[in-house]
Amino acid sequence: MAAFVAFILLLMTGTLVPVNSDFRQTPDGIQVFVVSNGVHSDLVFPVREPRTATNWLQKLNDSTVVSKFGRYEYIGFGWGNEGFYLGSYGRQFPGLGATLRAAFPSPTLLHVDFYKNAPQPSERVVPLLISEAQYRQLTAFVVQSWQTDSAGRPLLMNAAGYTPDDFFVRAKDKYHLLRTCNDWTNRGLRTSGLRAALKAPFAASVLYQARQASKKPPRQLPTD
Protein backbone atom coordinates (compact mmCIF):
# COMPACT_ATOMS: atom_id res chain seq x y z
CA MET A 1 0.00 0.00 0.00
CA ALA A 2 2.82 2.40 0.88
CA ALA A 3 4.49 1.72 -2.47
CA PHE A 4 1.22 2.47 -4.29
CA VAL A 5 0.80 5.74 -2.40
CA ALA A 6 4.41 6.70 -3.20
CA PHE A 7 3.76 5.93 -6.87
CA ILE A 8 0.66 8.15 -6.95
CA LEU A 9 2.55 10.96 -5.23
CA LEU A 10 5.34 10.69 -7.81
CA LEU A 11 2.83 10.99 -10.62
CA MET A 12 1.15 14.00 -9.07
CA THR A 13 4.19 15.89 -7.81
CA GLY A 14 6.21 15.09 -10.94
CA THR A 15 4.11 17.71 -12.70
CA LEU A 16 5.61 20.44 -10.53
CA VAL A 17 9.24 19.31 -10.76
CA PRO A 18 10.89 20.73 -13.90
CA VAL A 19 13.55 19.12 -16.06
CA ASN A 20 15.75 21.45 -18.14
CA SER A 21 14.65 24.29 -15.88
CA ASP A 22 17.36 26.53 -17.37
CA PHE A 23 15.67 26.43 -20.80
CA ARG A 24 15.04 29.84 -22.30
CA GLN A 25 13.29 30.65 -25.53
CA THR A 26 15.46 31.62 -28.48
CA PRO A 27 14.99 35.17 -29.81
CA ASP A 28 13.78 34.90 -33.43
CA GLY A 29 13.71 31.13 -32.94
CA ILE A 30 11.50 28.57 -34.64
CA GLN A 31 7.99 28.59 -33.25
CA VAL A 32 6.44 25.31 -32.18
CA PHE A 33 3.35 24.69 -30.10
CA VAL A 34 2.31 22.40 -27.28
CA VAL A 35 -1.41 21.78 -27.79
CA SER A 36 -3.99 19.88 -25.77
CA ASN A 37 -7.63 18.92 -26.15
CA GLY A 38 -7.87 18.53 -22.39
CA VAL A 39 -6.91 14.84 -22.35
CA HIS A 40 -4.18 14.36 -24.95
CA SER A 41 -1.24 16.63 -25.75
CA ASP A 42 0.36 17.16 -29.15
CA LEU A 43 3.48 18.74 -30.61
CA VAL A 44 2.73 21.14 -33.48
CA PHE A 45 5.29 22.25 -36.09
CA PRO A 46 5.38 24.35 -39.25
CA VAL A 47 4.77 22.07 -42.23
CA ARG A 48 7.80 23.66 -43.90
CA GLU A 49 10.69 25.07 -41.88
CA PRO A 50 13.36 26.61 -44.19
CA ARG A 51 16.17 27.15 -41.67
CA THR A 52 16.42 23.44 -40.93
CA ALA A 53 15.22 22.39 -44.40
CA THR A 54 12.41 20.44 -42.74
CA ASN A 55 9.39 19.54 -44.85
CA TRP A 56 6.92 17.23 -43.12
CA LEU A 57 5.13 16.42 -46.39
CA GLN A 58 8.38 15.02 -47.72
CA LYS A 59 8.94 13.07 -44.52
CA LEU A 60 5.46 11.53 -44.72
CA ASN A 61 6.23 10.69 -48.35
CA ASP A 62 2.69 9.89 -49.48
CA SER A 63 1.26 11.37 -52.69
CA THR A 64 -2.29 11.52 -51.33
CA VAL A 65 -1.15 13.35 -48.21
CA VAL A 66 0.93 15.80 -50.26
CA SER A 67 -1.97 16.51 -52.59
CA LYS A 68 -4.50 16.93 -49.81
CA PHE A 69 -2.47 18.95 -47.33
CA GLY A 70 -0.05 20.87 -49.54
CA ARG A 71 -1.62 24.23 -48.63
CA TYR A 72 -1.72 23.62 -44.87
CA GLU A 73 0.76 25.54 -42.73
CA TYR A 74 1.10 23.48 -39.53
CA ILE A 75 1.12 19.83 -38.55
CA GLY A 76 0.58 18.21 -35.16
CA PHE A 77 1.61 14.83 -33.77
CA GLY A 78 0.27 12.93 -30.80
CA TRP A 79 1.20 9.40 -29.71
CA GLY A 80 -1.21 7.07 -27.97
CA ASN A 81 -2.94 3.75 -27.46
CA GLU A 82 -4.34 2.27 -30.68
CA GLY A 83 -7.52 0.93 -29.10
CA PHE A 84 -8.22 4.20 -27.34
CA TYR A 85 -7.65 6.27 -30.49
CA LEU A 86 -9.79 4.07 -32.71
CA GLY A 87 -12.45 3.73 -30.05
CA SER A 88 -12.85 7.50 -30.03
CA TYR A 89 -14.29 7.72 -33.55
CA GLY A 90 -17.61 9.52 -33.66
CA ARG A 91 -16.61 11.51 -30.56
CA GLN A 92 -17.31 8.48 -28.42
CA PHE A 93 -15.42 7.64 -25.27
CA PRO A 94 -13.79 4.21 -25.56
CA GLY A 95 -15.42 1.44 -23.59
CA LEU A 96 -14.27 0.10 -20.25
CA GLY A 97 -12.47 -2.80 -21.89
CA ALA A 98 -10.33 -0.53 -24.09
CA THR A 99 -9.56 1.67 -21.10
CA LEU A 100 -8.44 -1.25 -18.93
CA ARG A 101 -6.34 -2.78 -21.71
CA ALA A 102 -4.55 0.54 -22.14
CA ALA A 103 -3.03 0.08 -18.67
CA PHE A 104 -0.94 -2.82 -20.02
CA PRO A 105 1.56 -2.88 -22.90
CA SER A 106 -0.44 -2.41 -26.09
CA PRO A 107 -0.01 -1.23 -29.72
CA THR A 108 0.27 2.48 -30.48
CA LEU A 109 -0.48 4.99 -33.22
CA LEU A 110 0.66 8.48 -34.08
CA HIS A 111 -2.22 10.87 -34.67
CA VAL A 112 -1.30 13.33 -37.44
CA ASP A 113 -3.36 16.50 -37.57
CA PHE A 114 -3.00 19.33 -40.11
CA TYR A 115 -3.74 23.00 -39.41
CA LYS A 116 -4.47 25.58 -42.10
CA ASN A 117 -3.08 28.31 -39.84
CA ALA A 118 -0.99 28.54 -36.69
CA PRO A 119 -2.82 27.54 -33.49
CA GLN A 120 -3.86 30.56 -31.48
CA PRO A 121 -2.33 30.81 -27.98
CA SER A 122 -4.87 29.94 -25.32
CA GLU A 123 -5.28 27.98 -22.10
CA ARG A 124 -4.59 24.79 -24.07
CA VAL A 125 -2.12 26.14 -26.64
CA VAL A 126 1.41 27.20 -25.62
CA PRO A 127 3.80 28.61 -28.25
CA LEU A 128 7.56 28.27 -27.76
CA LEU A 129 10.48 29.74 -29.69
CA ILE A 130 13.28 27.19 -29.89
CA SER A 131 16.72 26.98 -31.48
CA GLU A 132 17.48 25.18 -34.72
CA ALA A 133 19.31 22.45 -32.81
CA GLN A 134 16.36 21.93 -30.48
CA TYR A 135 13.99 21.87 -33.45
CA ARG A 136 16.04 19.18 -35.18
CA GLN A 137 16.06 17.09 -32.01
CA LEU A 138 12.31 17.46 -31.57
CA THR A 139 11.53 16.53 -35.17
CA ALA A 140 13.88 13.56 -34.95
CA PHE A 141 12.03 12.39 -31.84
CA VAL A 142 8.75 12.37 -33.78
CA VAL A 143 10.20 10.62 -36.83
CA GLN A 144 11.78 7.97 -34.62
CA SER A 145 8.33 7.31 -33.14
CA TRP A 146 6.67 6.07 -36.33
CA GLN A 147 6.97 2.68 -37.96
CA THR A 148 8.22 2.51 -41.54
CA ASP A 149 7.88 0.19 -44.49
CA SER A 150 10.79 -1.35 -46.43
CA ALA A 151 11.24 1.95 -48.32
CA GLY A 152 11.48 3.95 -45.11
CA ARG A 153 8.02 5.51 -45.44
CA PRO A 154 5.74 5.81 -42.40
CA LEU A 155 3.01 3.19 -42.30
CA LEU A 156 -0.36 4.86 -42.74
CA MET A 157 -2.72 2.85 -40.60
CA ASN A 158 -5.94 4.68 -41.37
CA ALA A 159 -6.30 7.49 -43.90
CA ALA A 160 -9.52 8.70 -42.26
CA GLY A 161 -9.27 10.37 -38.87
CA TYR A 162 -11.79 12.20 -36.75
CA THR A 163 -12.04 15.07 -39.26
CA PRO A 164 -10.97 15.66 -42.88
CA ASP A 165 -7.72 17.12 -41.52
CA ASP A 166 -6.20 14.16 -39.67
CA PHE A 167 -5.19 10.51 -39.97
CA PHE A 168 -3.11 7.85 -38.19
CA VAL A 169 0.22 6.16 -38.78
CA ARG A 170 1.54 3.13 -36.96
CA ALA A 171 3.89 3.96 -34.10
CA LYS A 172 6.73 2.30 -32.24
CA ASP A 173 6.81 1.34 -28.56
CA LYS A 174 4.03 0.08 -26.36
CA TYR A 175 1.51 2.13 -24.45
CA HIS A 176 0.99 1.31 -20.78
CA LEU A 177 0.24 2.92 -17.46
CA LEU A 178 3.74 4.36 -17.09
CA ARG A 179 4.14 5.39 -20.75
CA THR A 180 1.13 7.41 -21.80
CA CYS A 181 0.31 9.86 -24.56
CA ASN A 182 1.28 12.81 -22.39
CA ASP A 183 4.46 11.08 -21.29
CA TRP A 184 5.40 10.84 -24.99
CA THR A 185 4.94 14.59 -25.52
CA ASN A 186 6.84 15.31 -22.33
CA ARG A 187 9.73 13.02 -23.36
CA GLY A 188 9.96 14.81 -26.69
CA LEU A 189 10.32 18.16 -24.96
CA ARG A 190 12.74 16.81 -22.36
CA THR A 191 15.06 14.98 -24.75
CA SER A 192 15.21 18.09 -26.98
CA GLY A 193 16.46 20.26 -24.14
CA LEU A 194 13.16 22.06 -23.57
CA ARG A 195 11.59 22.53 -20.17
CA ALA A 196 9.42 19.56 -19.24
CA ALA A 197 7.94 17.83 -16.22
CA LEU A 198 9.71 15.13 -14.24
CA LYS A 199 6.57 13.06 -14.85
CA ALA A 200 3.57 14.03 -16.94
CA PRO A 201 0.57 11.75 -16.43
CA PHE A 202 -1.87 14.40 -17.67
CA ALA A 203 -2.05 16.92 -20.49
CA ALA A 204 -2.18 19.62 -17.82
CA SER A 205 1.21 18.41 -16.57
CA VAL A 206 2.79 19.02 -19.98
CA LEU A 207 1.07 22.37 -20.45
CA TYR A 208 2.06 23.61 -17.01
CA GLN A 209 5.79 23.26 -17.63
CA ALA A 210 5.50 24.55 -21.21
CA ARG A 211 3.68 27.61 -19.91
CA GLN A 212 6.35 28.20 -17.28
CA ALA A 213 8.96 28.07 -20.05
CA SER A 214 6.98 30.56 -22.15
CA LYS A 215 6.95 33.05 -19.27
CA LYS A 216 10.73 33.12 -18.89
CA PRO A 217 12.55 35.95 -20.69
CA PRO A 218 14.42 34.80 -23.82
CA ARG A 219 18.09 33.99 -23.40
CA GLN A 220 20.42 36.84 -24.25
CA LEU A 221 22.34 36.51 -27.49
CA PRO A 222 26.05 37.37 -27.32
CA THR A 223 26.91 40.88 -28.50
CA ASP A 224 29.99 42.01 -30.40
Side-chain angles (χ1 to χ4, degrees):
M1 183 64 180
F4 177 75
V5 171
F7 170 69
I8 296 299
L9 288 174
L10 172 63
L11 289 182
M12 301 306 294
T13 58
T15 295
L16 303 176
V17 179
V19 179
N20 302 327
S21 58
D22 58 346
F23 166 79
R24 295 292 185 274
Q25 296 190 82
T26 300
D28 299 320
I30 300 168
Q31 190 170 62
V32 298
F33 298 85
V34 181
V35 176
S36 169
N37 66 359
V39 178
H40 295 278
S41 55
D42 291 352
L43 298 169
V44 177
F45 306 86
V47 170
R48 301 169 186 83
E49 202 301 296
R51 282 178 279 182
T52 58
T54 302
N55 186 323
W56 284 103
L57 294 175
Q58 290 179 354
K59 290 181 182 296
L60 290 167
N61 195 17
D62 181 272
S63 58
T64 301
V65 171
V66 172
S67 174
K68 184 176 181 180
F69 298 109
R71 294 183 180 273
Y72 285 62
E73 293 187 359
Y74 286 82
I75 183 172
F77 296 93
W79 179 92
N81 175 266
E82 179 179 327
F84 207 89
Y85 269 139
L86 299 184
S88 299
Y89 273 88
R91 297 186 178 181
Q92 297 183 8
F93 192 85
L96 179 61
T99 304
L100 292 175
R101 285 192 293 273
F104 301 95
S106 46
T108 55
L109 299 174
L110 268 181
H111 182 227
V112 185
D113 197 3
F114 279 86
Y115 297 72
K116 291 182 178 178
N117 304 108
Q120 294 301 304
S122 68
E123 182 180 350
R124 293 181 177 177
V125 177
V126 180
L128 294 171
L129 291 171
I130 65 177
S131 70
E132 292 179 21
Q134 290 164 342
Y135 187 83
R136 288 190 177 95
Q137 287 177 295
L138 195 55
T139 57
F141 173 81
V142 173
V143 171
Q144 290 163 5
S145 295
W146 65 43
Q147 292 187 40
T148 58
D149 62 16
S150 58
R153 296 170 298 195
L155 289 170
L156 270 68
M157 186 274 174
N158 194 336
Y162 305 132
T163 73
D165 300 330
D166 66 302
F167 56 90
F168 293 97
V169 299
R170 292 203 173 275
K172 297 177 182 176
D173 295 332
K174 298 293 185 180
Y175 185 104
H176 53 77
L177 188 61
L178 296 180
R179 178 162 287 188
T180 67
C181 54
N182 298 308
D183 177 68
W184 178 85
T185 309
N186 193 66
R187 282 190 292 120
L189 298 170
R190 184 178 70 238
T191 58
S192 303
L194 281 61
R195 180 165 176 150
L198 177 64
K199 193 64 180 173
F202 309 114
S205 309
V206 181
L207 288 174
Y208 173 78
Q209 292 297 342
R211 191 167 292 109
Q212 297 308 304
S214 72
K215 293 177 181 179
K216 297 285 187 180
R219 62 182 174 86
Q220 295 297 314
L221 294 176
T223 57
D224 295 332

